[in-house]
Amino acid sequence: MNKFSIQKNCLLGYLTVVNLVNDAEVVAIAEKIIKKQGLINKAKQMNTKIRKYVNSKEMQLSCVVDFLRLPRKEAKLVYLNAKNGTRVEKEIQKYKG
């Protein structure tokens, strides 16, 4: 795996843990790993930006795409409706922040 992929996976994993996990030990493990990778400052900066848009999935995803410098044309926001099995894809707009 290349360096970019490792960093991207570490940052996304960290974001997932610190925003969705309630177990302090698990959060501590994630912080230990991200520190070992030398990404703690970048991870905290990214989390701060994303938390500004807590009420907008579109803006959060846009922020992640920009922060990780992912090609915007290769990412889509996908809404799945489990009740009726529909799927809607949207372009990811540029966030303002």
Side-chain angles (χ1 to χ4, degrees):
M1 197 179 297
N2 64 38
K3 185 178 178 178
F4 173 76
S5 295
I6 292 169
Q7 288 184 351
K8 178 186 69 160
N9 289 336
C10 284
L11 289 167
L12 291 174
Y14 175 82
L15 286 176
T16 300
V17 171
V18 298
N19 288 292
L20 299 177
V21 175
N22 295 324
D23 186 325
E25 288 182 45
V26 174
V27 173
I29 292 168
E31 288 189 350
K32 181 179 177 181
I33 292 168
I34 205 83
K35 282 179 185 174
K36 185 176 179 181
Q37 291 294 323
L39 296 170
I40 190 67
N41 291 336
K42 191 171 187 175
K44 288 188 176 199
Q45 179 186 19
M46 185 175 174
N47 190 48
T48 298
K49 284 187 178 189
I50 289 170
R51 299 291 298 162
K52 288 187 338 188
Y53 302 110
V54 72
N55 294 322
S56 172
K57 292 177 184 174
E58 291 91 350
M59 295 303 285
Q60 286 181 335
L61 186 55
S62 178
C63 185
V64 169
V65 167
D66 288 347
F67 199 91
L68 294 177
R69 296 185 182 110
L70 300 173
R72 191 167 290 281
K73 65 182 179 182
E74 293 182 21
K76 297 263 187 241
L77 180 60
V78 179
Y79 290 96
L80 301 173
N81 185 323
K83 290 182 181 178
N84 65 18
T86 59
R87 173 188 171 108
V88 176
E89 290 186 10
K90 289 178 68 176
E91 299 270 329
I92 299 171
Q93 303 300 314
K94 179 95 172 118
Y95 84 102
K96 299 168 183 84

